[in-house]
Amino acid sequence: KQEVTQIPAALSVPEGENLVLNCSFTDSAIYNLQWFRQDPGKGLTSLLLIQSSQREQTSGRLNASLDKSSGRSTLYIAASQPGDSATYLCAVRPGGSEKLVFGKGTKLTVNP
Amino acid sequence: DGGITQSPKYLFRKEGQNVTLSCEQNLNHDAMYWYRQDPGQGLRLIYYSQIVNDFQKGDIAEGYSVSREKKESFPLTVTSAQKNPTAFYLCASSIAKGQGRDTQYFGPGTRLTVL
């Protein structure tokens, strides 16, 4: 059974710092991996999707990498801003499945 | 203006009542999903549908029911059999089954509270 773990559960950094969020998964047989952002009381916003054949994806200040063989992904946020404060969720789509398996998220606080 | 809408935003239920949560999308997506989110937990899949008039149980389907009569709509009913329904419910949709290329797009959610 696929399991997704996100470490740390919470992270607080000063504005301007570069930071890395971690995601690990137990089964490397995946179609893709997605990173989402969730603001309090809101739905999820897709940030980046990495296909199983890809190593990384970039969007603005965000860069996500995927190492399928080791079951790891990282989300790199450059020059963090207070507006980046949110919970970041990682999800994998197991091979042969229509479902997403989610981690519990990392709650990020960027202090001005 | 394409997207996913959920209503109501807040819903209160008395013990023993059935309630229905609405989810509508105008993205022309084939697949739709219902998730439940509890504090400090990841999302858990309740039901999903890949095509009209067909749906499958997710990991926590007990006490819930769905229908998919139209491509745009995927309502979720929380029945009295669901013992702990207080949670945040999220609906999502994606373009197509297979290929593994599809992003899931989420609605704003409905917060259900049992009184």
Side-chain angles (χ1 to χ4, degrees):
Chain A
K1 177 185 174 185
Q2 178 74 265
E3 293 183 357
V4 179
T5 302
Q6 291 186 247
I7 295 173
L11 181 63
S12 181
V13 301
E15 182 176 4
E17 192 163 296
N18 301 327
L19 59 99
V20 173
L21 306 181
N22 296 295
C23 172
S24 62
F25 48 96
T26 55
D27 189 339
S28 62
I30 62 170
Y31 273 140
N32 62 45
L33 181 144
Q34 283 188 254
W35 283 94
F36 294 90
R37 169 186 172 135
Q38 186 176 30
D39 293 291
K42 306 290 186 183
L44 275 65
T45 301
S46 180
L47 297 173
L48 291 164
L49 182 148
I50 311 176
Q51 303 295 345
S52 62
S53 58
Q54 297 175 322
R55 296 285 292 183
E56 65 177 345
Q57 283 285 337
T58 298
S59 176
R61 293 182 295 108
L62 305 180
N63 176 277
S65 68
L66 174 64
D67 184 343
K68 202 171 66 166
S69 61
S70 68
R72 296 179 186 273
S73 176
T74 60
L75 179 66
Y76 175 82
I77 302 177
S80 58
Q81 303 170 357
D84 294 329
S85 298
T87 296
Y88 291 81
L89 293 159
C90 168
V92 300
R93 185 173 173 198
S97 173
E98 298 297 327
K99 311 176 188 180
L100 288 180
V101 179
F102 283 84
K104 295 182 179 180
T106 294
K107 184 176 181 180
L108 174 65
T109 302
V110 181
N111 301 301
Chain B
D1 197 20
I4 302 176
T5 57
Q6 291 187 241
S7 62
K9 185 173 182 179
Y10 299 98
L11 186 57
F12 299 92
R13 191 193 94 168
K14 294 182 180 178
E15 295 276 356
Q17 275 186 338
N18 292 354
V19 291
T20 297
L21 284 60
S22 170
C23 177
E24 304 276 336
Q25 54 96 1
N26 60 4
L27 300 168
N28 200 32
H29 286 174
D30 291 305
M32 297 186 74
Y33 311 81
W34 274 107
Y35 294 91
R36 169 182 173 140
Q37 187 176 36
D38 294 282
Q41 300 293 318
L43 278 68
R44 292 182 291 169
L45 183 65
I46 304 172
Y47 269 97
Y48 65 103
S49 169
Q50 297 175 263
I51 196 168
V52 174
N53 292 323
D54 187 44
F55 47 83
Q56 286 77 40
K57 292 181 179 180
D59 300 317
I60 55 166
E62 185 175 352
Y64 300 97
S65 66
V66 293
S67 62
R68 187 85 186 277
E69 297 177 1
K70 298 187 298 182
K71 187 175 184 178
E72 303 79 19
S73 178
F74 191 41
L76 173 74
T77 296
V78 184
T79 75
S80 57
Q82 171 50 237
K83 298 306 179 188
N84 185 22
T86 294
F88 189 50
Y89 290 86
L90 288 159
C91 178
S93 69
S94 62
I95 293 175
K97 51 189 178 292
Q99 300 184 19
R101 294 183 181 277
D102 46 324
T103 298
Q104 288 194 14
Y105 296 88
F106 283 77
T110 292
R111 185 165 300 281
L112 173 63
T113 303
V114 173
L115 301 174

